[in-house]
Amino acid sequence: MVREIESYQNVIEGARRVVQHYMPRIVIDPAWPLCPIKEVARVTGGYGFPVAHQGRQGMPYPFLKVSDMNLPGNELRITVQNHTVDADALAAMGARTFPAGTVIFPKTGAAIATNKKRMLSREATFDNNVMGLVPDTRRLLPEYLLYWLLSFDLSTWASGARPPSMRKRTVEEHLLPVPELSVQRRVVKEIEAERRLVEANRALIVRFEAKASQALARIWAESE
């Protein structure tokens, strides 16, 4: 029985290492053109979000904060949120929404160092601690942009001030490798195949943790 549990634990630990250490990386071909981000995406900050408009659910548009990036289910794409607003609230705040496919990340304070990047899965807006990149889909796939950013250190764009912050111009001028859309699609397809394998490891962890728990339960039952 002990050997059985140890075998389960070995599988769990191996799967956890895969999940913890996997990072999508795009192998850059030197022949790919480099473009300032501003040529292929719109760089935008968010809006002030008065407390009076916070905490509402069931409205048409998510209003996202950095903390929403930590919610379960939002590990890659934003699918849940703590706050929503309607068109009247947006007008009152002087805010606008951004399309699905916009890639967002923290732009101020210690949150920059967390290196969180997420993609909007629906039309939404975000507060002024967040920066967004709205790709020109005629030249840049949202998924390609997201996967490139996942291996990019956001601190590169941060100022040396305390607390640190990002300047829009710094982000706009950064050079991004932008191959043809057909190449971007191939890159995205390869990375998504890798991610499916990583998710399979997550499922393996859950399954083998259950097996280990069942084995331990049998041990306790037999010892009574």
Side-chain angles (χ1 to χ4, degrees):
M1 189 72 72
V2 171
R3 285 196 296 271
E4 178 186 352
I5 293 174
E6 286 178 344
S7 70
Y8 296 154
Q9 195 61 40
N10 288 337
V11 172
I12 292 167
E13 291 174 0
R16 281 178 176 162
R17 283 195 292 271
V18 171
V19 171
Q20 291 170 358
H21 296 292
Y22 172 74
M23 175 66 70
R25 295 195 181 278
I26 297 174
V27 179
I28 306 300
D29 187 328
W32 292 354
L34 296 174
C35 300
I37 286 177
K38 66 182 179 181
E39 292 187 4
V40 291
R42 177 162 55 91
V43 180
T44 181
Y47 301 93
F49 192 19
V51 174
H53 292 288
Q54 296 182 25
R56 299 175 183 174
Q57 292 293 329
M59 300 291 185
Y61 310 110
F63 202 125
L64 304 169
K65 293 172 164 283
V66 171
S67 57
D68 289 291
M69 299 182 193
N70 300 323
L71 296 176
N74 286 353
E75 290 80 10
L76 192 66
R77 292 173 172 82
I78 299 292
T79 60
V80 293
Q81 62 284 316
N82 288 318
H83 314 276
T84 60
V85 294
D86 58 15
D88 290 339
L90 287 171
M93 293 182 283
R96 55 170 295 180
T97 59
F98 303 95
T102 299
V103 179
I104 62 172
F105 45 85
K107 73 168 189 176
T108 59
I112 293 173
T114 66
N115 262 313
K116 293 182 177 69
K117 301 97 176 182
R118 303 292 189 265
M119 180 188 292
L120 301 187
S121 60
R122 56 184 282 199
E123 184 179 359
T125 192
F126 39 85
D127 78 3
N128 51 10
N129 292 308
V130 176
M131 182 171 282
L133 303 183
V134 186
D136 178 351
T137 54
R138 296 169 300 180
R139 298 187 60 189
L140 183 64
L141 295 181
E143 295 81 3
Y144 174 87
L145 174 61
L146 175 64
Y147 291 141
W148 178 81
L149 275 171
L150 285 177
S151 60
F152 178 77
D153 184 0
L154 292 176
S155 297
T156 303
W157 290 336
S159 68
R162 291 292 179 268
S165 62
M166 290 184 193
R167 294 180 60 202
K168 178 181 177 184
R169 183 174 178 181
T170 299
V171 180
E172 288 179 329
E173 298 295 335
H174 190 92
L175 295 178
L176 173 70
V178 186
E180 294 184 358
L181 288 178
S182 59
V183 176
Q184 294 181 40
R185 291 189 188 97
R186 188 186 72 234
V187 168
V188 168
K189 184 177 180 180
E190 291 172 354
I191 291 177
E192 291 184 343
E194 294 173 357
R195 290 192 61 83
R196 284 193 292 272
L197 294 174
V198 173
E199 292 306 312
N201 276 273
R202 292 185 194 275
L204 198 64
I205 292 169
V206 173
R207 181 179 291 271
F208 274 76
E209 284 179 337
K211 285 178 176 286
S213 296
Q214 291 165 7
L216 283 170
R218 291 199 303 272
I219 291 175
W220 284 111
E222 291 172 3
S223 65
E224 291 178 353

